[in-house]
């Protein structure tokens, strides 16, 4: 049996639906990981001991265990304690928190790298510490970490394929389903790979846009 | 506790970093509209004293009073934070390294705090930014970022930023030390203008000429104590203390 790419258009709608799910989950999880990353970083650096400890546990769980296991735990495990999430929501939460922990590490380093004079200048004007962080320190830290966070987001896109295991018909699972019907693994895996590549390019383009928009040369 | 009678009153200020005592029982009064210069070699404690006035470097002993209110009074943490934030709104500070916010334009640097803390409208803060930046001669650069400005221009924007909070007292911590020599004058001119408007100022400086020309009083500090103080005409021309003479001799020779 040779290769036959002419079969693709017939199943394109299923694949495109998969692309839609992958993009949707990736964008939602990326936003969650970004906002969550900032919140985790601020907690890690500034919260009182009692609040910091539970977050260190969360951090350990998300950094020290496989993402696959985390998705199983959120989707199948939480049902037992009465939290029954739709699969795609569980996927977004799992991916989002997993990468929030990694983003938090980057943001923490960037916050500490902001010159101490910035906090002092803001406090001198009468801003409280929270206000100074929000208006002065964090915006500078976030600008500095856009490129490495962009790398994390590419990793997030690739790991979004894992949510197929809890039954979300994203791109990889859609390809698999089509292959189940057509017995054409090469054609459809290549097609899926091509779509991942295109989404990748789009993400890099968005990242460059953001960088250019907010970049400041000092 | 005695009633406060001076505009700024520092009583028995003491500050230690661990075993190192950097301020040893310093008392100092500043009247409204007065301009006080503090000179001394690095490590003399002059910056620490200045930074204690708005509690950036809290004292370990003694009291600081500003316009009838004790700055470093004992309060529970939350109340103290609120108190100190309110106090600091009355005290403008200018730093050696400007500390402008690099992600904000000159306008935003000036308006951020008044907008956030005083709840002014956009129209009001725009007017405020124009006024203050005009005052320091930076109106034409109102929408520039700090990275697009020279050191002298940055420092002038930093002064405008401090003035926008309408402070009663301005603190200058070696405001021109980080500037190229040819940029010092434009900053000094702005400070002289403030002096003419009778702004109360405490100025830590290395520039003896400037201190002599604008200050009503000059303090010479060494090893955490005020060695000598007086009007610049006396302190610079006829110092009574050996340490002052020594410092001035070195400084004037070194500056040539």
């Amino acid at each position: 049996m040779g290769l036959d790419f002419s079969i693709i258009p017939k199943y394109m709608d299923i694949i495109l639906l998969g692309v839609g799910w992958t993009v949707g989950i990736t964008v939602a999880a990326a936003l969650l990981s970004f906002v969550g990353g900032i919140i985790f970083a601020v907690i890690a650096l500034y919260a009182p001991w009692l609040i910091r400890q539970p977050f260190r546990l969360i951090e350990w769980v998300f950094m020290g265990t496989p993402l696959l296991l985390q998705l199983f735990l959120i989707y199948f495990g939480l049902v037992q304690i009465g939290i029954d999430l739709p699969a795609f929501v569980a996927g977004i939460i799992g991916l989002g928190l997993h990468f929030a922990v990694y983003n938090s590490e980057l943001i923490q380093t960037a916050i500490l790298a902001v010159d101490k004079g910035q906090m002092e200048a803001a406090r001198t004007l009468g801003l409280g510490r929270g206000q100074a962080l929000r208006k002065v320190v964090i915006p500078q830290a976030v600008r500095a970490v856009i490129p490495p966070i962009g790398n994390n987001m590419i990793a997030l896109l690739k790991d979004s394929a894992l949510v197929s295991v809890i039954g979300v018909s994203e791109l990889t699972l859609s390809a698999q389903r089509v292959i189940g019907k057509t017995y054409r693994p090469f054609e459809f895996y290549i097609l899926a790979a091509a779509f991942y590549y295109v989404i990748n390019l789009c993400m890099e383009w968005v990242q460059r846009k953001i960088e250019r928009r907010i970049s400041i040369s000092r | 506790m005695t009633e406060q009678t001076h505009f700024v009153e520092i009583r028995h200020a003491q500050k230690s970093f661990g075993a190192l005592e950097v301020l040893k029982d310093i008392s100092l009064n500043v009247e409204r509209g007065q301009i006080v210069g503090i000179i001394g070699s690095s490590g003399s404690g002059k910056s620490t004293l200045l930074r204690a006035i708005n509690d950036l470097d809290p004292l370990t002993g003694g009291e600081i009073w500003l316009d009838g209110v004790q700055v470093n009074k004992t309060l529970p943490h939350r109340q103290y934070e609120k108190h100190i934030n309110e106090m600091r709104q009355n005290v403008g500070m200018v730093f050696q390294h400007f500390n402008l916010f690099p992600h904000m334009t000159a306008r935003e640097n000036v308006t951020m705090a008044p907008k956030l803390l005083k709840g002014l409208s956009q129209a009001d803060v725009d007017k405020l930014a124009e006024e203050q930046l005009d005052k320091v001669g930076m109106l034409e650069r109102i929408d520039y970022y700090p990275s697009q400005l020279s050191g002298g221009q940055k420092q002038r924007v930093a002064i405008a930023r401090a003035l926008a909070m309408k402070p009663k007292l301005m603190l200058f911590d070696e405001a021109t030390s980080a500037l190229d020599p040819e940029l010092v004058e434009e900053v000094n001119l702005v400070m002289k203008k403030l002096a003419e408007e009778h702004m109360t100022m405490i100025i830590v400086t290395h520039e003896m000429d400037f201190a002599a020309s604008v200050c009503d009083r000059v303090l010479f500090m060494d090893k955490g104590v005020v060695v000598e103080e007086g009007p610049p005409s006396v302190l610079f021309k006829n110092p009574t203390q050996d340490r002052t003479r020594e410092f001035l001799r070195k400084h004037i020779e070194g500056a040539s």
Side-chain angles (χ1 to χ4, degrees), chain B residues 188-207:
Chain B
N188 282 349
L189 280 173
V190 170
M191 289 167 71
K192 278 181 182 155
K193 199 163 153 190
L194 285 179
E196 284 158 17
E197 292 170 10
H198 305 293
M199 172 63 82
T200 313
M201 301 198 265
I202 303 177
I203 302 171
V204 167
T205 183
H206 278 133
E207 281 185 90

Side-chain angles (χ1 to χ4, degrees), chain A residues 117-118 120 123-124 135 217, chain B residues 51 81 93 100 103 147:
Chain A
Q118 293 290 313
E120 283 188 352
R123 295 304 306 271
T124 304
K135 287 285 184 181
S217 42
Chain B
R51 290 162 58 87
E81 283 289 301
M93 184 149 189
L100 282 184
H103 57 301
S147 59

Side-chain angles (χ1 to χ4, degrees), chain A residues 67-144:
Chain A
L67 177 54
L68 191 60
L69 181 126
Q70 294 159 21
L71 291 171
F72 283 149
L73 187 65
I74 291 169
Y75 185 58
F76 300 115
L78 289 186
V79 177
Q80 280 178 278
I81 55 168
I83 306 173
D84 190 0
L85 298 167
F88 79 97
V89 174
I92 289 167
I93 292 175
L95 278 169
L97 291 182
H98 183 85
F99 282 92
V101 170
Y102 284 96
N103 287 347
S104 158
E105 299 278 308
L106 294 170
I107 294 167
Q108 281 177 51
T109 314
I111 286 176
L112 294 175
V114 172
D115 183 56
K116 262 170 57 189
Q118 293 290 313
M119 175 60 98
E120 283 188 352
R123 295 304 306 271
T124 304
L125 291 165
L127 275 72
R129 188 151 82 158
Q131 290 172 317
L133 279 175
R134 190 158 50 81
K135 287 285 184 181
V136 173
V137 177
I138 290 173
Q140 290 180 58
V142 165
R143 280 167 169 80

Side-chain angles (χ1 to χ4, degrees), chain B residues 163-232:
Chain B
L163 292 176
M165 289 303 289
K166 310 282 184 196
K168 302 181 205 167
L169 169 69
M170 285 287 286
L171 308 175
F172 291 85
D173 191 2
E174 300 192 21
T176 56
S177 297
L179 296 176
D180 292 334
E182 71 271 22
L183 302 176
V184 168
E185 195 50 32
E186 59 187 86
V187 174
N188 282 349
L189 280 173
V190 170
M191 289 167 71
K192 278 181 182 155
K193 199 163 153 190
L194 285 179
E196 284 158 17
E197 292 170 10
H198 305 293
M199 172 63 82
T200 313
M201 301 198 265
I202 303 177
I203 302 171
V204 167
T205 183
H206 278 133
E207 281 185 90
M208 302 305 138
D209 290 343
F210 180 69
S213 67
V214 301
C215 295
D216 301 306
R217 258 162 74 214
V218 177
L219 279 71
F220 170 62
M221 281 181 71
D222 190 34
K223 300 197 176 82
V225 295
V226 176
V227 176
E228 187 169 355
E229 68 161 292

Side-chain angles (χ1 to χ4, degrees), chain A:
Chain A
M1 193 152 92
L3 298 181
D4 178 14
F5 285 95
S6 66
I7 195 167
I8 285 176
K10 197 177 157 200
Y11 296 95
M12 202 56 169
D13 50 346
I14 299 176
I15 298 292
L16 283 178
L17 203 62
V19 169
W21 277 107
T22 289
V23 169
I25 287 171
T26 301
V27 168
L31 288 175
L32 177 62
S33 78
F34 183 68
V35 176
I38 293 174
I39 293 170
F40 286 0
V42 170
I43 288 171
L45 291 177
Y46 301 104
W49 189 87
L50 214 64
I51 298 174
R52 231 163 45 227
Q53 294 318 305
F55 274 89
R56 289 186 60 171
L57 183 69
I58 293 175
E59 203 173 76
W60 179 83
V61 168
F62 280 99
M63 275 194 136
T65 65
L67 177 54
L68 191 60
L69 181 126
Q70 294 159 21
L71 291 171
F72 283 149
L73 187 65
I74 291 169
Y75 185 58
F76 300 115
L78 289 186
V79 177
Q80 280 178 278
I81 55 168
I83 306 173
D84 190 0
L85 298 167
F88 79 97
V89 174
I92 289 167
I93 292 175
L95 278 169
L97 291 182
H98 183 85
F99 282 92
V101 170
Y102 284 96
N103 287 347
S104 158
E105 299 278 308
L106 294 170
I107 294 167
Q108 281 177 51
T109 314
I111 286 176
L112 294 175
V114 172
D115 183 56
K116 262 170 57 189
Q118 293 290 313
M119 175 60 98
E120 283 188 352
R123 295 304 306 271
T124 304
L125 291 165
L127 275 72
R129 188 151 82 158
Q131 290 172 317
L133 279 175
R134 190 158 50 81
K135 287 285 184 181
V136 173
V137 177
I138 290 173
Q140 290 180 58
V142 165
R143 280 167 169 80
V145 292
I146 293 292
I149 282 187
N151 293 341
N152 277 356
M153 296 305 96
I154 302 287
L156 189 154
L157 165 68
K158 292 186 286 185
D159 283 351
S160 73
L162 284 174
V163 302
S164 60
V165 296
I166 54 174
V168 181
S169 291
E170 44 66 68
L171 181 50
T172 301
L173 186 56
S174 302
Q176 243 162 3
R177 285 193 172 145
V178 173
I179 290 160
K181 286 182 198 163
T182 60
Y183 303 107
R184 293 260 166 208
F186 190 88
E187 288 87 337
F188 284 98
Y189 282 139
I190 284 287
L191 180 66
F195 274 115
Y196 276 113
Y197 179 67
V198 170
I199 299 168
N200 235 309
L201 286 182
C202 294
M203 286 172 72
E204 278 172 30
W205 180 77
V206 169
Q207 186 192 332
R208 270 202 304 279
K209 273 283 225 217
I210 295 173
E211 270 177 60
R212 204 165 305 157
R213 179 88 187 268
I214 67 173
S215 77
I216 32 161
S217 42
R218 302 185 191 179

Side-chain angles (χ1 to χ4, degrees), chain B residues 113-124:
Chain B
K115 203 166 157 183
L116 184 68
L117 301 174
K118 296 186 172 172
L120 300 180
S121 69
Q122 189 61 45
D124 286 344

Side-chain angles (χ1 to χ4, degrees), chain B residues 50-63:
Chain B
L50 193 77
R51 290 162 58 87
I53 294 170
N54 65 1
D55 209 49
L56 274 187
D57 280 340
L59 291 178
T60 38
E63 294 174 4

